[in-house]
Every structure is written in structure tokens, then in C-alpha cells.
Amino acid sequence: MNPVAMTGLSVALPGVDRPRGLLEPVAPDAAPVDPAALIGKKGLRYKDRATRIGLHLAFAALTDAGLLDDGRLRAPGDRIGVVVSSNLGNADTVCRAVETIAKETTSGLSPMDTPNASSNIIASETAIRFGLRGPNLTVCNGAGSGLDAVRWAGLMIRSGRVDHMVVVGVEPDNPVTRRLVGGPVADGGAALVLSRSGETGPARPAKALLAAGTRTVRSGTAPRSPAGTTPGSALRLTDEPDHVPPGEPTLDLTGWGELSGALGVVQCVAAAAWFAAGGAGTAHAVAGGAGVTLLAPGHAS
């Protein structure tokens, strides 16, 4: 089975606005992400922070994949789907609504704010804004959520449901999310576009390949490298650094605060950046018991 190609990438974290930035030290006191600077203020006024950043990430990834040109979709919308990973995305909206109901009953709720209480708000707003009419879902199951979202997107493509899937991992930083995780939250995330192998070419060159058969792994175990790679040619991205095999390079993605549901997607984008910077072989992303294996663009599967 041919691997699925990663054709578009984006990242939006404080101080990082390009995938290569994930390979560099985190800048202290970096400026927060400003979605309006990329996609404009129109349509953002009543959106929550996570949705705004999610739209920013989707726009940038779709553009990088050649599927958006000046905001216009260049492929059939019914052949493009969306998967969003966010565990904390609208927690502040939900808490605010609960407090309002307790104090004022439902009559105190704002009709402009209430839609943001939907757990699927980021994915649905992304589909509406860019005209993506394929499968649309949100994954929010803890630290492995981002990698599960990537795996679901790959399954949608391999099953023939769509030609492209946008995968967005995003988390906002605010008092509510800080209380939930016990500290700062990354306030940003990453996105990628996965494409069917027949849909790649000069306009959408593969930046990495999603290996077939990626699966959930037991905590503390390391996925094996596919045939054709040599020992030590793998990058390990994991939330369990104590289980990294000796001699394999790793990448620290902890400098922004808790990535939560964005972690797995950020890992995959960082792996593609590593390939672009000269890394070869494979990259193994592991988080929350979920695992994904990525291959360098020229790897023969």
C-alpha cells in the first residue's frame, strides 16, 4: 500500500511561524500568535481564541499544499476533509456559559457566543470558511489526540473517501486552560495536509510520507523502523524521553507550555522540517500511547 503524502505544513506558536522554527531554541518572551495578521480580521470577531488560531493554521497549510490560492480553493471541496485535535479548545467558553446560566439562567447567554460551546466548533468553522465538504471531525482524547487525528486522516485518504485531509492541532492559553493543566498552555499549534499519492506532483511535492500501518503503541515501547532504513537513521519525537533508544536524535518540543491535543501534529510537522533540513530515514512520533511513523520524502515504501 502506498504511503500517504504530507503536502502542506504550517505552525503558529509564540515566536515560531514556520516549520523550521521547531528545530530552533524557543525564544523567550516571544510575541503571541496573531491570526488576523495572516487571514485578516473579517469573520473573527465572535470566534474564540482556539478557533481563530485553527483558521490561521488551516489557511497556511492549505496554501502551502497548493490547495488555496489567494483564499480560493483549487480542488473540489467535497474531496477535502478536516480533522481537528484539541482537548482544551473551547473550555473557556463552556465554563463561561455554565457560570452565566448559574447566575442569570439561559436568558443571559449571548447568541453570538453560544455556538462556540460546540466541541466541534474549530473543525466546522474551518470547513465553512474554506468550503471543505469532506469528512469533518474533532478528536479530543488526551495526549495521543494529535497523532490519532493524523491516523484518522490517513485512513480517510486510504479508504478513498477524500483526496486531501487537513489536520489541525491547536490549544489556547487562558486562565481556564491553565487551571485545567496546572500551568501555561502553548497558545498555538500546527497543521498539515495529507494527500493521496496520485494527487502529488510539482504543485504539491511530498514533504514527508505517512507510513502505512501506523498504530497505537504500548506506553514505553518504540516502533520499529521500516525495511530499508539503517539503525540510527530515525528521529524520535516522544512524550516519554526515557524510552528513546541510545544514539537516536530527539527533539524537545516543550518550550511553549502544554501542547496537549496539538502535540502530535506539532511532532509530525517538526519531523517534516527535520527531513527538509537534511534528516533522512524515518521519524517516529509517540504521544499518549499513540504512534505514527513518518518517512523521508524519497523513501521507497
Side-chain angles (χ1 to χ4, degrees), residues 22-103:
L22 295 172
L23 309 182
E24 302 167 355
V26 178
D29 301 321
V33 176
D34 180 10
L38 178 68
I39 61 176
K41 295 180 179 180
K42 186 176 181 180
L44 297 185
R45 183 176 180 183
Y46 296 107
K47 304 294 188 294
D48 60 33
R49 176 70 173 165
T51 300
R52 293 181 183 190
I53 299 176
L55 292 172
H56 170 129
L57 289 165
F59 176 92
L62 286 164
T63 300
D64 188 49
L67 294 173
L68 273 184
D69 182 10
D70 195 26
R72 294 189 297 272
L73 202 61
R74 299 186 61 186
D78 59 355
R79 299 296 296 171
I80 307 175
V82 181
V83 185
V84 168
S85 172
S86 185
N87 296 317
L88 309 166
N90 66 342
D92 57 332
T93 300
V94 173
C95 288
R96 186 168 58 248
V98 169
E99 290 172 358
T100 299
I101 292 172
K103 294 177 181 178

Side-chain angles (χ1 to χ4, degrees), residues 10 23 31 50 57 59 66 77 83 114 134 154 157 176 181 183 198 200 203 210 225 230 236 248 264 277 297 301:
S10 68
L23 309 182
L57 289 165
F59 176 92
V83 185
T114 304
I157 293 171
V176 171
V181 305
T200 61
L210 177 65
S225 298
T230 58
R236 196 73 56 172
E248 288 197 354
S301 176

Side-chain angles (χ1 to χ4, degrees), residues 25 41 126 284:
K41 295 180 179 180
T126 298
H284 301 302

